[in-house]
Amino acid sequence: MTRRMICGGVAGMIAKTATNPLERIKMLSQTGEHGLQSSGVVSLYRSIIENEGVMGLWAGNGANLLRVFPAKAVVFSSNDMYQGLFRKLTKTPDDQKLAPFYAFFAGGFAGMTATACTYPLDFARGRISGKLAQQGVNKEYTGIIRTVIVSVRDEGFLALYKGVTPTLIGALPYEGIKFGTVAILEGSFPTEEKTSPMRKMIFGGLGGVMAGLITYPNDTIRRLLQLQGSRGTSSEYSGFVDCVRKTYQAEGIGRFYRGMSINIIRMAPNAAVQFGSYELLKQLTAILVASIVEGQ
């Protein structure tokens, strides 16, 4: 379990750092907190560079890495744990693939477990990445500690859990679809050889795209809820349903899909790197552990 947690955490950190510039553009497009008339990828990219410099593309990555390591460690290791539980319940041998139905719920429960453990860090990242600095104006949310302190001081401790409802709701289908898609693909294209990291990368990338497409509107809602009450944001919602209703009334159904194109571009390499590096690290550490045991 410990080895898988470390492999999952490192895999998540590699993937998130590599794709953070795309994630930053996507989040600004979702929240609308950028002061631009257009939410296009090119205009947002230029505005980030002009107002925050190149490193602005990685704004929030520190909070993301602090969140991702424990979150992905919990996701991958608990997914294996839940799959093991479902194998016992369904009496599925270890040498047979678990049915996609159970793989879906194993991934979903793993996602919810990780979310419950690490949500305040996701909240901090949302505020750091979801607002664009304006020229001549100091950015209010510039680091994890400052973001947490300012949020708690202005809005109370429970502010750290704004948006947790849609996050938990979305964790089940998002991780479930991702891991479930990988299980379906592995069952559709069986191999007698040991699973290769490249195979996992391809299947993981496709799983990530599917999950991102289906759950994107929920992700937009959680980002809007995370920013409500923050400095410079006037929007207020009483909860998840109220946010959906007001957003739809103000801008229509298209508002829930703002930033969707950049998210599709981001999700494929993000999920591919996660699954591929996790499989590679798991195999390498297994070899390392075996060689240490043999040498004793």
Side-chain angles (χ1 to χ4, degrees), residues 63 119-129 141 143-144 147-148 226:
Y119 186 74
L121 288 171
D122 183 57
F123 167 84
R125 180 183 69 114
R127 291 208 164 177
I128 296 169
S129 300
Y141 305 98
I144 304 168
T147 298
V148 170
Q226 284 178 342

Side-chain angles (χ1 to χ4, degrees), residues 42-62:
V42 176
S43 59
L44 284 173
Y45 173 80
R46 287 176 177 172
S47 188
I48 292 170
I49 298 297
E50 290 173 1
N51 290 283
E52 300 180 15
V54 174
M55 292 309 298
L57 295 170
W58 277 271
N61 192 50

Side-chain angles (χ1 to χ4, degrees), residues 14-65:
I14 293 171
K16 291 297 183 182
T17 300
T19 60
N20 199 80
L22 297 175
E23 172 76 4
R24 180 81 203 282
I25 293 171
K26 186 266 291 188
M27 288 181 68
L28 286 172
S29 185
Q30 280 182 310
T31 63
E33 299 278 345
H34 46 66
L36 303 175
Q37 293 183 340
S38 171
S39 292
V41 174
V42 176
S43 59
L44 284 173
Y45 173 80
R46 287 176 177 172
S47 188
I48 292 170
I49 298 297
E50 290 173 1
N51 290 283
E52 300 180 15
V54 174
M55 292 309 298
L57 295 170
W58 277 271
N61 192 50
N64 207 18
L65 292 183

Side-chain angles (χ1 to χ4, degrees), residues 56-236:
L57 295 170
W58 277 271
N61 192 50
N64 207 18
L65 292 183
L66 283 179
R67 177 190 70 87
V68 163
F69 187 88
K72 293 306 176 184
V74 172
V75 163
F76 279 97
S77 58
S78 60
N79 176 68
D80 289 342
M81 181 189 71
Y82 287 125
Q83 286 208 13
L85 178 62
F86 283 127
R87 283 184 182 281
K88 290 181 180 179
L89 292 174
T90 60
K91 298 181 179 179
T92 304
D94 290 340
D95 60 349
Q96 291 184 17
K97 296 293 183 183
L98 190 66
F101 175 81
Y102 296 108
F104 170 87
F105 279 102
F109 290 150
M112 294 182 75
T113 301
T115 296
C117 294
T118 62
Y119 186 74
L121 288 171
D122 183 57
F123 167 84
R125 180 183 69 114
R127 291 208 164 177
I128 296 169
S129 300
K131 286 177 173 286
L132 180 64
Q134 303 298 317
Q135 291 185 350
V137 180
N138 291 328
K139 191 176 180 180
E140 296 288 354
Y141 305 98
T142 55
I144 304 168
I145 296 175
R146 175 175 169 76
T147 298
V148 170
I149 292 174
V150 170
S151 298
V152 172
R153 186 172 60 204
D154 290 355
E155 306 161 63
F157 179 77
L158 290 180
L160 299 179
Y161 289 89
K162 285 183 176 180
V164 71
T165 299
T167 303
L168 285 172
I169 292 172
L172 177 60
Y174 179 79
E175 296 295 347
I177 292 168
K178 190 163 66 175
F179 281 98
T181 300
V182 171
I184 290 172
L185 291 170
E186 287 184 334
S188 301
F189 302 95
T191 179
E192 295 181 358
E193 299 178 1
K194 190 174 182 180
T195 301
S196 68
M198 182 58 67
R199 179 183 168 90
K200 278 289 187 180
M201 285 186 70
I202 295 171
F203 290 172
L206 292 172
V209 170
M210 285 296 295
L213 282 170
I214 295 171
T215 64
Y216 193 79
N218 183 74
D219 188 58
T220 297
I221 293 301
R222 82 186 183 100
R223 294 304 177 194
L224 292 174
L225 286 171
Q226 284 178 342
L227 288 186
Q228 69 160 333
S230 62
R231 296 180 180 182
T233 300
S234 58
S235 301
E236 288 290 340

